[in-house]
Amino acid sequence: MGLALAHTYRGTILEAVAYVTSINLPINAETLSDRARRGPRYTSYPPATEFDSGFGASDGDRELASVPGGAPVSLYCHIPYCRSLCWYCGCNVKISRDRSKGSSYVAMLCRELRLLAGKLDSSTQLVELALGGGSPNFLLEEDLTRLTTTIRETFNVADDAEFGAEMDPRETSVEFLATLSQLGFTRMSVGVQDFDEAVQKAIHRFQSIEQTDKVISDARRLGLDHVNVDLVYGLPAQTPRSFSRTLDAVIGFEPQQIAMFGYAHLPQRIPHQKLVERGGHMPNALERAELMLFATDRFERAGYVQVGIDHFARPDSPLVHAALSGNLHRNFQGYVVRRAERLLGCGASAISDSGGAYWQNHINIEQWERSVRAKQLPIARGVRLDQDDQIRRYVITKLMCDAELELTEVEKRFAIDVREYFAYELDQLSRDEFNELVEIELDDGWLCATALGCQLLRNICMVFDRYNRHSDLNPNDGSRPSFSPTV
Ligand code: SF4
């Protein structure tokens, strides 16, 4: 269950089943799969599909110039390289076995970092660094050192800044982990997905439990003690029975956090995903919901708390503290502790969020490089948020993070009459399809997800999404085929 359910429900998923049963609506795979739709994951609002090529380098310059002096910022650096392609992959990735390619990439990344820092007030504080990809551990140790040293020399790094990196355990050496630790990294996110042989064959990703366990143990010994593990459900040949061994192994690693995403099979947008179809039976909507509930139950029995729609964390973890204190945030990396309002993205395809605009760098590495060489922000597209976007972003982020919304706070913050402004949305939410998902107390000024609604927050958010009235919208069920299913 989502955490911040002050007005509806707080407890474990098993208690939730009892709670929902008491209002004659059990959370079961049928209930969830019947209500699953396709829609955005709301890691941003507007979703990245709304970014526009009319937003360019000069717009980015203006946004960076308006960041107030002393403001905290987070930095994300994208390392697009991996040694082999996982067929389910939806990231911007470039396959190579030549690690020296990372050297010229890092050289360019350092130039971009200096370019970016030069456009910010020098008192801007870097409070968080995340390396993602691709696989940051594709880099040679000396390139990782060069990158991190440049960041420390270029930005005003806060004493308590948190450094974290995504890691592919199939390619991670002790030397790389030791370098990360020496450079001040304390957090690591490890990709697992599934340990079952048939599933691994279907997705072309071969990784043993022992190999993963060793990387996590080595990392902890070296001081990278905050570990997140990524899993994916909805993959071909996956069943609750086959997934069970993976869940046992992951729980045995005792990570602080587990992120479990529903597989987004979108071969029309990501052609290599067609290869996944060879791997056997692809779970249907009902089977996906069964897998999700099965894993959720296992995590909660093992003492993890569900945070948002797809994260699980130990009760004493920073993520749970953030959820309980209203400090949970959602960005392109999923649910995170909110440390800064602004996110700067560096590297090919990286996305930045200045609060008033989002923008994405060129996906193509050569194009990205050309812009950096020309001393121009390598922006391919973006969107400036108008007042309506700002209001809806606030509402959607609150719902995705807290599963509830204080309507009176929206009125105060944006000087609007919520009943009038959201008349259409409130009418939609009062219909049969939604009255099992939300409770609305207009007089008290509250909108809360029910226990069932907590698993389907994306469905609720889609009602508030102005861009969800597009031509690709299925008029029968409100689905958008170009997005992943909500369960
Ligand atoms: S390791 Fe991650 S980023 Fe690289 S191909 Fe596999 S899924 Fe994609």
Side-chain angles (χ1 to χ4, degrees):
M1 290 299 96
L3 265 176
L5 311 178
H7 297 267
T8 43
Y9 174 78
R10 239 180 237 277
T12 67
I13 191 156
L14 293 178
E15 289 160 356
V17 172
Y19 167 87
V20 187
T21 306
S22 71
I23 55 170
N24 291 323
L25 188 70
I27 296 183
N28 57 38
E30 285 80 14
T31 326
L32 281 174
S33 58
D34 278 356
R35 288 157 183 79
R37 304 281 175 267
R38 283 179 176 267
R41 288 187 194 267
Y42 295 114
T43 49
S44 71
Y45 183 83
T49 42
E50 302 306 326
F51 296 3
D52 184 280
S53 58
F55 188 105
S58 55
D59 298 292
D61 286 347
R62 256 195 306 278
E63 288 300 316
L64 294 178
S66 68
V67 175
V73 295
S74 299
L75 176 65
Y76 170 79
C77 293
H78 190 78
I79 315 294
Y81 292 102
C82 285
R83 274 170 71 90
S84 74
L85 179 67
C86 309
W87 293 343
Y88 67 93
C89 181
C91 303
N92 169 38
V93 66
K94 188 108 180 151
I95 304 305
S96 174
R97 299 206 149 251
D98 178 5
R99 285 178 84 193
S100 71
K101 286 219 162 119
S103 307
S104 47
Y105 184 81
V106 163
M108 206 48 66
L109 204 48
C110 291
R111 281 168 80 156
E112 187 189 2
L113 285 162
R114 289 193 202 95
L115 179 68
L116 196 64
K119 294 180 187 290
L120 291 164
D121 188 289
S122 59
S123 62
T124 309
Q125 273 228 318
L126 184 71
V127 293
E128 187 175 36
L129 166 67
L131 304 185
S135 305
N137 51 298
F138 178 88
L139 298 180
L140 296 165
E141 286 79 16
E142 60 258 36
D143 291 327
L144 173 70
T145 305
R146 186 149 53 111
L147 173 61
T148 313
T149 309
T150 303
I151 291 169
R152 288 198 181 274
E153 286 169 358
T154 317
F155 288 89
N156 173 19
V157 179
D159 292 343
D160 60 352
E162 295 234 6
F163 284 18
E166 289 172 10
M167 214 53 56
D168 178 351
R170 297 171 301 168
E171 310 284 348
T172 307
S173 66
V174 183
E175 291 73 27
F176 193 86
L177 293 171
T179 309
L180 277 176
S181 170
Q182 281 155 18
L183 293 168
F185 284 77
T186 55
R187 302 169 70 93
M188 177 174 84
S189 182
V190 180
V192 167
Q193 327 320 345
D194 194 313
F195 285 124
D196 183 77
E197 249 175 67
V199 178
Q200 294 198 348
K201 201 164 162 219
I203 61 174
H204 194 245
R205 183 184 171 112
F206 306 96
Q207 169 180 348
S208 70
I209 293 176
E210 295 68 29
Q211 192 177 34
T212 312
D213 188 27
K214 182 173 182 320
V215 167
I216 292 176
S217 311
D218 286 344
R220 285 202 173 115
R221 187 170 42 78
L222 290 161
L224 289 138
D225 49 15
H226 189 285
V227 176
N228 171 80
V229 171
D230 280 349
L231 293 175
V232 174
Y233 72 86
L235 295 170
Q238 211 175 33
T239 63
R241 199 188 156 99
S242 74
F243 206 27
S244 182
R245 188 169 149 260
T246 299
L247 301 177
D248 284 343
V250 169
I251 290 166
F253 300 153
E254 299 183 349
Q256 273 78 2
Q257 272 177 226
I258 300 162
M260 185 180 68
F261 306 108
Y263 170 49
H265 187 60
L266 301 166
Q268 66 284 14
R269 255 172 55 190
I270 308 165
H272 67 242
Q273 287 189 339
K274 268 230 154 282
L275 297 166
V276 170
E277 292 167 11
R278 300 177 183 166
H281 173 68
M282 186 89 77
N284 59 29
L286 181 65
E287 290 160 337
R288 283 173 70 97
E290 279 167 357
L291 282 162
M292 195 271 268
L293 285 177
F294 178 74
T296 300
D297 180 37
R298 287 291 273 277
F299 295 143
E300 298 207 341
R301 282 173 194 264
Y304 286 85
V305 179
Q306 186 173 350
V307 176
I309 52 170
D310 48 19
H311 282 47
F312 301 85
R314 296 196 159 281
D316 58 354
S317 70
L319 201 69
V320 170
H321 285 292
L324 291 171
S325 59
N327 205 27
L328 191 66
H329 185 53
R330 188 162 168 81
N331 66 18
F332 298 99
Q333 291 157 278
Y335 288 100
V336 294
V337 177
R338 183 191 285 275
R339 293 197 172 83
E341 295 289 328
R342 296 169 180 84
L343 170 70
L344 306 174
C346 266
S349 80
I351 294 179
S352 299
D353 171 9
S354 67
Y358 292 103
W359 62 91
Q360 181 173 32
N361 283 354
H362 291 293
I363 292 174
N364 178 286
I365 296 179
E366 288 73 33
Q367 241 179 322
W368 164 77
E369 247 186 61
R370 270 200 298 278
S371 293
V372 176
R373 279 187 200 284
K375 298 195 169 102
Q376 258 193 0
L377 288 179
I379 298 176
R381 58 198 189 123
V383 63
R384 191 184 303 284
L385 278 73
D386 63 20
Q387 168 77 354
D388 181 66
D389 292 328
Q390 293 278 6
I391 296 170
R392 289 174 193 274
R393 171 161 84 163
Y394 177 82
V395 166
I396 286 173
T397 307
K398 276 277 165 207
L399 285 169
M400 289 302 294
C401 292
D402 300 348
E404 64 182 9
L405 181 66
E406 204 178 336
L407 298 172
T408 43
E409 177 58 28
V410 183
E411 297 198 324
K412 256 192 274 163
R413 192 176 273 256
F414 298 102
I416 56 168
D417 178 335
V418 163
R419 287 178 203 232
E420 218 177 89
Y421 198 89
F422 287 125
Y424 168 80
E425 289 78 2
L426 293 170
D427 176 58
Q428 293 288 307
L429 291 176
S430 68
R431 297 184 179 203
D432 281 356
E433 187 194 345
F434 285 100
N435 63 24
E436 299 155 346
L437 304 189
V438 284
E439 288 176 9
I440 305 174
E441 300 283 347
L442 276 182
D443 292 336
D444 292 343
W446 281 96
L447 189 156
C448 311
T450 61
L452 178 64
C454 286
Q455 303 292 1
L456 295 162
L457 291 175
R458 288 164 65 195
N459 288 40
I460 302 171
C461 291
M462 281 163 75
V463 174
F464 288 98
D465 179 350
R466 174 162 59 109
Y467 303 94
N468 204 30
R469 301 171 196 166
H470 270 284
S471 50
D472 71 338
L473 189 71
N474 179 333
N476 298 321
D477 68 0
S479 261
R480 294 187 61 190
S482 53
F483 288 93
S484 64
T486 53
V487 176

